[in-house]
Amino acid sequence: MASFYSEFKIFRLFLLMLGLVGTGLWNDSVLAQGTKSLPKAKSTKERKTWPTPEPTAPLDRSVRPAAGPAPEIRWAEAERWELPNGLKVFLVRNTKLPRVSVSLVWDYDPVAEGSKAGVSALTGEMIRSGTRDKSKEALDEAIDGLGATLSTSSNGLYASCLSRNTAPLMGLIGEMLTQPAYRAPELERLRKQSISGLESEQTNAESVAARVLPRLLYGSNHPYGEIQTQKGLESIQLQDCENFRDRYLRPNVAYLALVGDIDRATAESLTRQHLGPWAAAEVPTHKYPVPTNPNGVRVVMVDRPLAVQTVIRIANTVQLVPGSPDYIPSSVMNTILGASDARLFDNLRETHGYTYGAYSSLTKDPLVGQFRAYAQVRNAVTDSAIREFFYELNRIRDTLVPADELQGVQNYLNGTFSISLQNPQTVAGFYIDQERYRMSPTYYRNYLQDLAQVDQEAVQSMARKMIQPGSCVVLCVGKGSEIAPKLRAMDSDGMIEWMDWNGETAPDPTALKLPEGTTLASVLDKYIAKTGGTKNWSKVKGLRTTMAATLQGMNLEVTQTQRNKPAASLTKVRLNSSMELSSDLFLNGKMSRKSMQGTKEVEGEELAHEAMEATVLPELLWLNGVHSKLSLAGAVMVDGQLCAKLDWKFENGTLESHVYNLQTGLKVQSIRVSKGPDGKDALSTMAYDDYRDLGKGLQIPHKVKISMGPESIEFNLTEGILNPRLSDADFKH
């Protein structure tokens, strides 16, 4: 296949899809970030003349001002009542704006979902899928008609509206909770959406790390360690969602907070009217063993053969329940270590230049919490970066924090906490937390006083308690062949574990070998044979294809016209069939690219690349030795299948790889590593699937998925014409 499948197109297509190229928006957005309109300076005549101040003693800037006493926190008292069905309601009145927000939180034990992991997430989204009397469309229309927002999940729901619309909004919420009607088409839509999300996660190293780390920390039998899979999502039926809802989403394990311009009488009347009929029921409880940290340092790799950066996670579990006396001093400790511009950031970015940012987080949880240090670094410095991580983790455990560093963080946390109190929603959340976790009623009121009492010894004590550099998981998602040899010495037993993106054991890719006798020619030969054979492909004079995708409700089309002799190709990208975003033309050995910004000639190695890709099946040329830079680079695993990788290294450092399944002989991926517009290495992948006969016994992929970072889009073949009548007149912008 020619230029649509050319990796030179991938990065540019993504920018087009995001609306950043071709329309000039990219340049405008960059400029907008760097320039702001400033008010004109006043003329001398307009300037006020201020009285000359009385002389004062000079300020000694070498002396840090003494810290004042912690201020006393004042906020509005929440009004509380409980409905007969057990729903606990809090009201925080705030009349500054004519708005009301509604937050509901369910408090049930985490549920192990097993082979149906994802049922709770789907159930939470289904809440908004309609009621007995309203379809999803009717419900959406009613919400939009109020100018309201409403979102749901298995953890709760959130809604907001103008004060005058509170009553009808509460009516809709009550209808959703008391008259639910889950419908199969909506479940299928959400299921497809979730599966599509999984496919996007698989191509993003950060998402893979976020997916695998909980499995390593908590285990597959703990609800926090479960991983959603396509097979599991496909097994979930409507009855599973209804069962989950009826068992766990009950008012007697729920807390409701109303915040805004509404009085007690109105709020209580609305909750009793609309949520009073919501039936209570006994909710199952669950107990799970407390996960333990490994005996030593456990290094785990998820291989991404062509990655140019490594995602690093260093983590251990912690016992840090909400309201614990440890929480405030431990948050001070973690802020010193891993906040923006803190120790990890300063070391790995500012001092060593290994990364754009290095951080840590500490999460509280009634079951089991987590400490995590993380960054994304260049492959070449992965081992060095991990050593610096461990240096900082041990330093904060082994030495007292300087008093001025501690004071600076306390001042920062003091300010951020005080600012957060300006949001009444935060205050409402405090009241819910205090009751939900049986915290002291003065816990948040005394926060600033308790923060001021944290000393150097307390910080060190929390570091030793929360950070376990000798009993932790080190997860790396990156190019195993390059980084794994240097990481073995960091593992306590010298054995690196390999996992796939589902957290399942995977073979060591550094030990993979191609079958004896595999050559570049044999790989290309098999591909050509499996897709139709040299004889049939040699009869092809030209090909026209159209691939289509949907992007944010819009239709994106890529139409290619190709001719073998003399080689010519034209690729047009259109939006909604009429708006042409770009046009690439190769004719008479020359190439030009047209976009909304104008037309430009393409030269150099990209031109040479296009000359190869202009033909219908470039592998025929490669097999005949036309592509002298192509080399057999070794074996890789793709979806559990052994594949051969062919590399083309460009003079500018760009690497283009073509991956062929050795069992089927078919090409399954093209991968390109090049410089993005921000100067960083960008990894883009094209996955080929659904090979079908186009005619004459010739097979081409009918599905092509393009991925870059977290973004992905799937194209499907809508038209394919073999040997159309072509002349030079068909090849013009």
Side-chain angles (χ1 to χ4, degrees), residues 459-680:
V459 170
Q460 185 179 43
S461 174
M462 287 301 101
R464 290 175 174 175
K465 188 172 184 178
M466 302 296 166
I467 304 174
Q468 304 301 324
S471 302
C472 67
V473 170
V474 178
L475 172 63
C476 295
V477 182
K479 187 176 182 179
S481 61
E482 184 174 347
I483 64 179
K486 299 177 182 179
L487 300 184
R488 290 192 178 95
M490 298 181 181
D491 189 280
S492 292
D493 60 11
M495 299 291 292
I496 292 178
E497 298 174 57
W498 296 88
M499 289 190 170
D500 61 19
W501 83 294
N502 282 323
E504 303 294 339
T505 300
D508 180 353
T510 63
L512 290 178
K513 293 183 179 179
L514 291 170
E516 188 174 349
T518 303
T519 63
L520 185 148
S522 70
V523 173
L524 295 174
D525 237 340
K526 189 172 183 179
Y527 173 71
I528 295 169
K530 287 292 185 179
T531 56
T534 302
K535 183 178 179 180
N536 286 336
W537 279 113
S538 297
K539 295 178 182 178
V540 176
K541 298 178 180 179
L543 176 66
R544 178 177 289 125
T545 60
T546 298
M547 304 286 289
T550 301
L551 175 69
Q552 297 179 355
M554 297 179 290
N555 297 319
L556 189 68
E557 287 185 350
V558 179
T559 299
Q560 291 181 296
T561 304
Q562 302 160 255
R563 185 181 68 190
N564 278 342
K565 292 181 181 179
S569 71
L570 176 65
T571 303
K572 288 184 178 289
V573 181
R574 290 189 178 91
L575 195 63
N576 292 333
S577 301
S578 57
M579 180 180 179
E580 186 173 296
L581 298 178
S582 71
S583 172
D584 281 12
L585 173 64
F586 178 84
L587 183 66
N588 299 326
K590 297 182 179 181
M591 180 181 176
S592 59
R593 175 169 295 144
K594 179 183 177 183
S595 69
M596 293 182 180
Q597 295 173 326
T599 303
K600 67 175 184 177
E601 298 297 316
V602 176
E603 299 177 339
E605 196 167 10
E606 185 175 355
L607 174 60
H609 182 280
E610 191 66 20
M612 297 290 299
E613 296 286 338
T615 58
V616 174
L617 193 72
E619 278 81 358
L620 282 173
L621 295 179
W622 301 351
L623 182 61
N624 294 326
V626 176
H627 191 348
S628 60
K629 293 185 179 181
L630 196 68
S631 63
L632 181 63
V636 294
M637 297 293 292
V638 177
D639 295 332
Q641 297 288 314
L642 185 65
C643 300
K645 182 164 72 77
L646 309 185
D647 283 355
W648 180 3
K649 294 184 179 179
F650 289 71
E651 294 175 0
N652 63 2
T654 294
L655 174 66
E656 182 176 292
S657 299
H658 303 270
V659 182
Y660 299 81
N661 186 308
L662 289 174
Q663 181 176 351
T664 65
L666 297 176
K667 185 175 183 177
V668 292
Q669 282 185 349
S670 292
I671 306 168
R672 186 178 179 83
V673 180
S674 58
K675 293 292 183 184
D678 56 1
K680 298 181 185 179

Side-chain angles (χ1 to χ4, degrees), residues 129-139 142 172 175 181 183:
S129 65
T131 68
R132 286 203 301 263
D133 297 328
K134 290 184 177 66
S135 65
K136 183 182 187 305
E137 292 72 21
L139 182 60
L172 292 175
E175 187 176 347
R183 295 176 173 89

Side-chain angles (χ1 to χ4, degrees), residues 70 84 93 375 392 413 452 490 718:
R93 194 174 186 194
E392 293 295 350
L413 292 176
M490 298 181 181
T718 58

Side-chain angles (χ1 to χ4, degrees), residues 24-44:
L25 292 179
W26 186 80
N27 289 332
D28 292 344
S29 65
V30 172
L31 291 173
Q33 293 177 26
T35 60
K36 295 182 178 179
S37 298
L38 299 177
K40 294 182 179 180
K42 292 183 177 181
S43 66
T44 305

Side-chain angles (χ1 to χ4, degrees), residues 35 58 68 70 112 167 204 211 228 258 285 332 391 399 428 458 468 490 516 575 623 649 723:
T35 60
N204 180 263
R211 182 178 172 86
Q228 290 184 24
L258 294 98
T285 58
V332 173
Y391 167 76
T399 61
Q468 304 301 324
M490 298 181 181
E516 188 174 349
L575 195 63
L623 182 61
K649 294 184 179 179
N723 296 323

